[in-house]
Amino acid sequence: MSTAGKVIKCKAALLWGPNKPFSIEEIEVAPPKAKEVRIKILATGICRTDDHVIKGLMVSKFPVIVGHEAAGIVESIGEGVTSVKPGDKVIPLFLAQCRECDICLNPEGNLCVKSDITGRGVLDDGTTRFSCKGKPVYHFFNTSTFTEYTVVNEFSVAKIDDAAPPEKVCLIGCGFSTGYGAAIKTAKVTPGSTCAVFGLGGVGLSVIMGCKSAGASRIIGIDLNKDKFAKAKAVGATDCISPKDSTKPISEVLSEMTGNTVGYSFEVIGRLDTMVDALASCHMNYGTSVVVGAPPSAKMLTYDPMLLFTGRTWKGCVFGGWKSRDDVPKIVNDFLAKKFDLDQLITHVLPFKNIQEGFELLYSGKSIRTILTF
């Protein structure tokens, strides 16, 4: 029997409150309303941003279903949906693209006003499609992918090629696209340049892949965990260093290493101190530093304005600068054309019920990306 128009009961990983473990619960997922899409999730990645909710570093309502990096199949659609149909393979988009707001209409803009980055926890009509034990359960980033079924607004979903393997292209929903785009779209890395990448997790490695694709001649990876150096070099880093190996500020170490030629630096950790370190590490006059890592909520950063006065450019980067609905299908096509290799980012594949184990791998530093399959 078709499930269209009916409530679906399925398994989801709930967070009942901050600093609590995931709880696998049976939830009810309501049918999509007008301009909404219900998706059967096939694979979802574990991203550090999800952990920000667990740790209370990112504003969220509870109980909540997090997860925002996934691929799935459209189960049913609400009235008025025209861009996807049941059976389509899709990627849910934590960064919306309504194609109507001033940001969407600007060729340089991508942070659509319909994106839920403030923790509203509801869909566009102000309500939730999830419930558990008679209580409403909140959405996360308009996506909520740690569940067998989710409901998203039409402006938060992209149709992709049916040939795309979900357990790989789910990374294009966040981590890979964010890092790759930070290099080629936000920073616009130039051929022959020198780049420094702070943080060698999945997004940091994707930045390296972007720098390499853009033709950078020297790419320096920086991380406290030296176990990550081999993988960084495998995807394109020419050098790797740990700040613990020198008493000098990392900006001085990089200047001496490169003859003061770092044209681009990327902070891919989300720490205030490393954001300033990355800014200080690019060339004082023509350097560009990009903040890629999600900063902690309600924290203020202090820096010496002379770092900018001399000519540096300091940029932010949301989802690699991509316009989500327009660009995600193109990035998937580039993957299918073998323009980059996502296998190098995937270290673990686990069944969805082992989600807590996946997060323990993240905390231990043993994983780059863990993929959960349904």
Side-chain angles (χ1 to χ4, degrees):
M1 286 177 62
S2 170
T3 50
K6 299 174 183 176
V7 172
I8 291 178
K9 290 185 177 182
C10 68
K11 296 294 185 184
L14 263 64
L15 289 173
W16 290 101
N19 297 302
K20 292 183 179 179
F22 285 98
S23 177
I24 303 292
E25 304 277 4
E26 182 177 83
I27 65 164
E28 293 186 335
V29 183
K33 294 184 181 180
K35 293 287 187 177
E36 294 177 358
V37 180
R38 188 159 62 182
I39 302 169
K40 177 180 174 62
I41 300 295
L42 299 176
T44 183
I46 291 177
C47 175
R48 180 72 69 176
T49 305
D50 300 311
D51 185 53
H52 286 346
V53 178
I54 300 171
K55 297 288 200 302
L57 298 173
M58 184 171 282
V59 177
S60 177
K61 295 177 181 176
F62 292 93
V64 65
I65 298 171
V66 293
H68 62 284
E69 183 181 82
I73 293 176
V74 174
E75 174 269 339
S76 61
I77 58 175
E79 182 183 350
V81 172
T82 58
S83 61
V84 296
K85 64 184 185 303
D88 283 349
K89 192 169 283 186
V90 293
I91 288 180
L93 306 168
F94 77 89
L95 198 71
Q97 187 187 353
C98 71
R99 295 176 173 155
E100 296 174 354
C101 69
D102 69 306
I103 297 175
C104 283
L105 294 175
N106 187 306
E108 294 300 314
N110 79 325
L111 184 56
C112 174
V113 298
K114 295 291 190 180
S115 302
D116 181 16
I117 58 172
T118 58
R120 286 175 61 238
V122 290
L123 295 185
D124 199 41
D125 74 340
T127 63
T128 172
R129 300 294 161 270
F130 302 130
S131 60
C132 181
K133 300 175 182 175
K135 296 180 180 179
V137 174
Y138 291 100
H139 296 251
F140 175 66
F141 271 2
N142 284 337
T143 48
S144 292
T145 62
F146 290 165
T147 170
E148 292 175 316
Y149 288 87
T150 191
V151 178
V152 303
N153 296 109
E154 185 179 14
F155 52 65
S156 292
V157 63
K159 182 183 184 303
I160 61 171
D161 193 304
D162 282 342
E167 72 283 0
K168 296 180 183 179
V169 299
C170 61
L171 294 181
I172 292 171
C174 179
F176 174 76
S177 300
T178 296
Y180 191 71
I184 67 172
K185 196 165 179 67
T186 303
K188 296 180 172 60
V189 168
T190 53
S193 58
T194 297
C195 302
V197 181
F198 288 70
L200 301 178
V203 180
L205 294 180
S206 301
V207 173
I208 291 173
M209 293 164 75
C211 293
K212 181 180 179 182
S213 176
S217 60
R218 193 168 187 188
I219 306 167
I220 303 166
I222 302 140
D223 203 295
L224 296 173
N225 183 354
K226 293 184 178 182
D227 291 342
K228 296 182 177 181
F229 289 179
K231 179 68 77 170
K233 289 182 176 178
V235 300
T238 55
D239 311 81
C240 289
I241 57 175
S242 168
K244 290 192 291 189
D245 286 347
S246 175
T247 56
K248 295 180 181 178
I250 189 68
S251 57
E252 289 186 22
V253 174
L254 287 166
S255 180
E256 291 173 4
M257 273 182 73
T258 65
N260 192 30
T261 60
V262 176
Y264 305 91
S265 64
F266 301 85
E267 201 280 352
V268 205
I269 304 166
R271 290 178 55 92
L272 302 184
D273 54 344
T274 44
M275 289 175 188
V276 178
D277 285 343
L279 177 65
S281 295
C282 70
H283 192 277
M284 64 181 293
N285 181 234
Y286 58 74
T288 295
S289 187
V290 182
V291 175
V292 188
S297 298
K299 291 285 192 295
M300 300 301 288
L301 184 151
T302 302
Y303 72 99
D304 180 354
M306 187 59 72
L307 290 171
L308 292 180
F309 178 75
T310 56
R312 290 181 178 89
T313 299
W314 207 2
K315 304 184 77 170
C317 172
V318 178
F319 194 54
W322 305 109
K323 286 185 179 289
S324 57
R325 290 169 76 190
D326 293 346
D327 290 328
V328 161
K330 298 174 187 175
I331 300 170
V332 170
N333 290 342
D334 284 348
F335 166 74
L336 293 173
K338 295 183 167 52
K339 292 187 179 180
F340 50 82
D341 181 11
L342 293 174
D343 286 341
Q344 298 180 93
L345 303 175
I346 300 168
T347 48
H348 300 80
V349 179
L350 299 173
F352 174 63
K353 63 183 173 62
N354 292 17
I355 184 170
Q356 195 63 47
E357 179 187 345
F359 274 84
E360 295 302 328
L361 287 166
L362 176 72
Y363 302 146
S364 69
K366 293 177 181 175
S367 75
I368 296 170
R369 262 303 191 267
T370 294
I371 306 299
L372 305 173
T373 56
F374 293 79

